[in-house]
Amino acid sequence: MRQRISILIVVCLFLGVKGMAQRDSLAYRLTPFVKGGLSIGFFDNSISNESSVGHTGFHFDVGLQIPFQRGGQYGCCLVSSLRFITKGETWDNGENGRASVNMQYIEMPIDFAFRAVMKKSSLMAGGGFYLAYGIGGRMTGSDGLYIYRGYRLKDKLAVFGSQLGFLCWDAGVNLMTEYQIRHLCLSADIDIGLTRIPPIRFDGHNKSSNVAISLGIGYLF
């Protein structure tokens, strides 16, 4: 009788430990990260007839990676962050110089990514959507350049508001890829705006939306 009870206790302990290990392998684990780097912005339908050369700026992210499963060589995860990013466009006006739109956004990208784990590194690729709100920015240019209704670019016109009237809200899809080695990560992603943000102070026929390519380096906690 005692042997049967001992065997039963051992079996119960074994099943309990196994169940705890399985439950732990499926547990969520939050991985905070910070990241920053270069961003290059342009409009999918330029507001100028001049040659676009893109707008060079930067971005800074604070976010979380949430794996759907711990362990294993392959898996999926959710990547969400709060980002400050500059977008816009720059034009080369030939002999007259250049004009540039610098737009500053607070943005929230949310991506679903597939993750492949290697010996000491991992590779993620995926996509999702983003929502952004414009908080500032200026349109500037060389002396003697004007826009519709006689606004001088030398005056550094406010992008959002009554001077130019770009729409503050922006939204679209985001594609991302990231290489991780220990606590270091290298990333590349692209925002493709689906919201039209036409400036009301131009001719009124423009249907521009934002596109931004970002390259970054970050740290995983």
Side-chain angles (χ1 to χ4, degrees), residues 176-202:
M176 61 83 69
T177 182
E178 183 171 294
Y179 176 72
Q180 302 174 353
I181 178 168
R182 296 186 179 179
H183 292 286
L184 180 68
C185 65
L186 303 174
S187 66
D189 61 281
I190 178 171
D191 285 351
I192 303 174
L194 300 180
T195 303
R196 300 299 179 182
I197 53 168
I200 60 176
R201 293 299 181 184
F202 282 68

Side-chain angles (χ1 to χ4, degrees), residues 6-46:
S6 300
I7 293 174
L8 182 61
I9 292 174
V10 170
V11 171
C12 290
L13 289 174
F14 174 78
L15 294 176
V17 171
K18 184 178 180 181
M20 291 177 64
Q22 183 177 4
R23 184 169 63 250
D24 181 68
S25 67
L26 298 176
Y28 288 88
R29 178 173 61 86
L30 301 180
T31 304
F33 65 87
V34 293
K35 182 171 56 178
L38 178 71
S39 65
I40 301 174
F42 54 93
F43 298 131
D44 70 336
N45 181 21
S46 180

Side-chain angles (χ1 to χ4, degrees), residues 51-173:
S51 176
S52 174
V53 295
H55 175 76
T56 302
F58 68 97
H59 67 96
F60 180 78
D61 302 22
V62 177
L64 289 172
Q65 294 180 7
I66 308 175
F68 293 150
Q69 181 176 354
R70 290 181 59 183
Q73 188 175 2
Y74 304 101
C76 296
C77 65
L78 177 69
V79 183
S80 179
S81 63
L82 189 64
R83 166 183 292 179
F84 174 84
I85 186 171
T86 59
K87 300 182 180 182
E89 190 170 63
T90 298
W91 308 278
D92 188 347
N93 291 272
E95 296 180 357
N96 292 326
R98 288 190 174 191
S100 180
V101 174
N102 176 22
M103 312 171 80
Q104 301 169 2
Y105 287 94
I106 295 295
E107 179 175 297
M108 179 178 289
I110 300 177
D111 295 314
F112 296 91
F114 177 78
R115 183 177 184 179
V117 179
M118 294 165 272
K119 289 184 178 180
K120 295 183 179 180
S121 62
S122 62
L123 181 65
M124 292 196 307
F129 63 91
Y130 76 88
L131 180 66
Y133 186 80
I135 59 172
R138 297 284 179 178
M139 183 172 185
T140 59
S142 303
D143 292 348
L145 293 183
Y146 293 81
I147 63 171
Y148 185 64
R149 296 182 180 177
Y151 281 93
R152 300 187 307 170
L153 297 189
K154 180 183 178 181
D155 295 334
K156 298 182 179 181
L157 307 176
V159 172
F160 305 110
S162 61
Q163 288 187 321
L164 291 180
F166 280 89
L167 299 182
C168 292
W169 287 104
D170 184 25
V173 297

